[in-house]
Amino acid sequence: MTEHTRLLGEVVPELEKLSAEAARIQEGEITKPLREIAPLSLRTHELAMKCTRQVHDLSVSQYPAMKDGAENLVHLVGACAQISLAATLCNLAIHHRTETVLYEDADPTPATSRDQLRRAGDEMQQAATTYSIMARRLSRRLASFSARVEDRQLIAEALGPSPQKVPSTPSPPIARRRTR
């Protein structure tokens, strides 16, 4: 769990950097959208994949059994979706800025792309806030002796033997195959 806490904390500064880059691009004329926005989009997509992988790893670990673990996992899934949405908005910003090449009636200004970059930055900021909160929560739980004891008990209960269901009617005997 310590490693997951560290990874959660690393996402926040990365999101802040990406959000700042989106704001910087948004302020420009966006004359070369592929060259200007695509690197941001790629890094945001990569971060979304990394976060999704971590959420998966947490979901199959003991984390859901910990106090508030399942609820925190839901928040992290939402933050992953926000990061993925931000990456998609970056791609849309590229698309709307490049469609002027194809269509006469396309908006020749970068207004639509700017709006999508602003929205992408907002999504990244919201995800950063969620990640920051989740990292602090997990860090506090790991730092507290009583919380660790409580979590061990919750995990033990979750992993405990489940009662075996007794069949109401006896199963027919399984025929054995003879080998020679």
Side-chain angles (χ1 to χ4, degrees), residues 6 11 27 42 54 56 96-97 101 104 142 148 163:
R6 183 185 67 74
V11 171
E27 292 171 1
L42 289 169
Q54 183 186 21
H56 171 265
H96 283 114
R97 195 65 183 120
V101 174
E104 285 181 21
L142 293 175
R148 287 194 321 265

Side-chain angles (χ1 to χ4, degrees), residues 11-180:
V11 171
V12 176
E14 185 64 25
L15 283 169
E16 289 171 349
K17 277 192 254 178
L18 292 170
S19 180
E21 186 174 343
R24 182 190 56 74
I25 295 168
Q26 173 190 348
E27 292 171 1
E29 287 301 312
I30 314 175
T31 55
K32 298 177 181 169
L34 285 170
R35 194 171 294 156
E36 295 174 63
I37 304 170
L40 170 66
S41 177
L42 289 169
R43 286 197 317 280
T44 307
H45 277 288
E46 288 167 1
L47 183 61
M49 291 300 295
K50 177 182 170 184
C51 292
T52 302
R53 196 171 299 113
Q54 183 186 21
V55 167
H56 171 265
D57 292 347
L58 281 169
S59 75
V60 297
S61 73
Q62 297 171 344
Y63 186 66
M66 293 170 61
K67 183 177 181 194
D68 300 326
E71 180 183 328
N72 291 341
L73 207 52
V74 171
H75 290 294
L76 288 172
V77 168
C80 283
Q82 288 175 306
I83 298 167
S84 189
L85 175 58
T88 300
L89 287 166
C90 290
N91 283 348
L92 284 171
I94 294 169
H95 169 72
H96 283 114
R97 195 65 183 120
T98 56
E99 72 180 359
T100 58
V101 174
L102 298 175
Y103 307 109
E104 285 181 21
D105 59 344
D107 182 4
T109 70
T112 304
S113 294
R114 283 185 180 141
D115 183 55
Q116 288 161 337
L117 288 170
R118 180 197 52 75
R119 289 178 52 209
D122 290 347
E123 294 294 335
M124 286 187 258
Q125 285 299 322
Q126 290 174 9
T129 300
T130 301
Y131 266 88
S132 180
I133 290 168
M134 295 301 111
R136 278 195 308 269
R137 282 184 187 172
L138 186 54
S139 182
R140 272 190 241 126
R141 288 214 59 82
L142 293 175
S144 167
F145 178 76
S146 61
R148 287 194 321 265
V149 169
E150 179 185 18
D151 286 337
R152 272 190 236 122
Q153 289 171 340
L154 291 169
I155 291 166
E157 289 172 14
L159 296 175
S162 57
Q164 299 250 340
K165 191 175 183 180
V166 179
S168 57
T169 58
S171 302
I174 300 173
R176 292 189 179 199
R177 190 172 150 206
R178 291 188 175 189
T179 58
R180 290 187 185 208

